[in-house]
Amino acid sequence: PLPATSRPRLPLAAARPALRTPRTAPSAVIPDPLMPPIANATAATDFGARFGSLRGKDVRTVAQTVGAFTEKYGRPVPAVYRTAVNEILVTTHLAVVCAMWGYDAVFAHGFVKSFEEVFGFYPGDPEDKANLYKAMVEALLLDEGKMKADSDAVAAFAEGIASEAELIAIVNGEKESSSPVAATLATIKKAGPFDFYCSRPFALGIFKIMNAVGTELTRENVQRWSVALGLPSIKLEGELDVYLSALEKLKQAEQLFAEVSAREKRKAAERLEEKAKKAMAAAEKDAEGEGEAAKVDAKEPVA
């Protein structure tokens, strides 16, 4: 072998393979057909023509909504409900600040009824749960009274529908209805691609209507309703999965709360029984003392 000093040296490029590929001009960004072109919203696009003026505008943040709730409620939320409160605040906030979102009665119905489901066993007095609801609604800049009235209107509308077929006929204009809820559903069906945002509370409102007219909550039924009502099927199916999972967890929580409540009631009854026994024993002891005193008084001679 050649001495180390006389070995031929290879050029650096040949001795060490390149570890980085040479830079090339950046390729054009391929747009996602499922997402609105927010980043490149210009007047040349329908989305830009509608919402381009909103670029750079201040938008209320999630932190501001959560902070407003904390200030309005003014007390700690029990740990078992903390995740549910945060999730409702965050998901509803993100819907409300969306430029395509608009308030409607179905949204209100879904929000009101889902709150009643999730917080049915909220600890404390009924006033505590009412204050929690009020703080959440006000933090989201929604109208508590209007939401309650609109939710009641949706419930009354759904109760008056005999079947799914009748509801679809009303939405399609094949059957008359004077309910503003029917008009809302018909308007949403005709909405353009940027005229409506399917939020979680709205999806929950649809599920409540499905239950009311006797339609089981399955993916197949949700797909059929999505087509009939002109709603995004993928969005509704995803919300259905979340809702059914939440219902299962809710059942487990309700069972736990029932067991805890029964245990507390049993302990309270035992404490009352023990207290009653002590009171009875004390009364018997006092009665015995009075009896002994009476005997002593009877033995003493009368002057």
Side-chain angles (χ1 to χ4, degrees):
L2 296 174
T5 54
S6 61
R7 291 178 186 172
R9 294 187 177 183
L10 297 176
L12 182 60
R16 184 180 300 168
L19 299 180
R20 300 177 63 181
T21 56
R23 291 187 176 183
T24 57
S27 58
V29 177
I30 301 176
D32 186 346
L34 299 179
M35 296 295 292
I38 298 175
N40 299 314
T42 64
T45 65
D46 292 339
F47 188 88
R50 178 73 65 83
F51 304 113
S53 62
L54 299 178
R55 175 181 290 179
K57 299 287 186 180
D58 291 335
V59 178
R60 197 165 189 251
T61 65
V62 171
Q64 288 174 316
T65 294
V66 174
F69 164 77
T70 302
E71 181 180 353
K72 292 177 183 297
Y73 190 52
R75 70 196 69 181
V77 175
V80 69
Y81 286 101
R82 204 166 297 153
T83 299
V85 169
N86 287 334
E87 185 173 355
I88 291 174
L89 287 174
V90 171
T91 55
T92 308
H93 166 89
L94 294 176
V96 171
V97 299
C98 176
M100 294 183 292
W101 177 82
Y103 174 86
D104 59 72
V106 179
F107 169 93
H109 190 55
F111 188 96
V112 171
K113 293 304 178 183
S114 62
F115 179 90
E116 292 175 356
E117 273 188 326
V118 174
F119 299 97
F121 286 85
Y122 194 76
D125 299 330
E127 186 178 354
D128 292 335
K129 184 167 67 173
N131 290 336
L132 175 70
Y133 176 79
K134 181 179 179 66
M136 292 176 70
V137 170
E138 291 182 352
L140 292 163
L141 304 182
L142 298 170
D143 188 323
E144 181 184 4
K146 181 172 178 55
M147 290 184 69
K148 178 65 168 62
D150 288 342
S151 177
D152 291 343
V154 174
F157 167 75
E159 289 175 1
I161 303 297
S163 64
E164 174 185 326
E166 181 181 355
L167 176 66
I168 303 304
I170 291 175
V171 173
N172 290 334
E174 300 169 359
K175 184 175 181 179
E176 293 185 0
S177 174
S178 59
S179 172
V181 179
T184 296
L185 292 174
T187 300
I188 290 174
K189 181 174 182 179
K190 299 175 183 177
F194 304 127
D195 294 332
F196 172 72
Y197 177 76
C198 185
S199 63
R200 176 166 295 177
F202 180 88
L204 294 173
I206 292 295
F207 299 156
K208 293 301 178 184
I209 296 175
M210 291 178 68
N211 279 332
V213 301
T215 302
E216 185 181 0
L217 290 180
T218 64
R219 293 182 71 89
E220 293 75 13
N221 290 340
V222 166
Q223 289 173 359
R224 186 175 65 255
W225 274 58
S226 299
V227 173
L229 300 179
L231 300 173
S233 177
I234 294 178
K235 173 67 173 177
L236 279 188
E237 290 176 42
E239 295 296 353
L240 176 66
D241 293 339
V242 173
Y243 177 62
L244 294 180
S245 175
L247 282 183
E248 183 61 30
K249 293 178 182 177
L250 182 61
K251 290 179 181 178
Q252 297 174 3
E254 288 178 352
Q255 182 178 358
L256 176 62
F257 288 138
E259 293 175 355
V260 171
S261 178
R263 184 165 58 249
E264 291 298 325
K265 289 180 180 179
R266 186 168 58 252
K267 289 181 179 180
E270 291 174 354
R271 287 194 295 267
L272 288 175
E273 183 179 359
E274 184 65 23
K275 187 175 181 180
K277 288 180 179 179
K278 289 181 179 180
M280 186 177 295
E284 291 176 354
K285 186 175 182 180
D286 291 342
E288 290 177 359
E290 292 176 358
E292 292 296 331
K295 290 180 182 180
V296 170
D297 291 342
K299 293 179 179 179
E300 292 180 357
V302 179

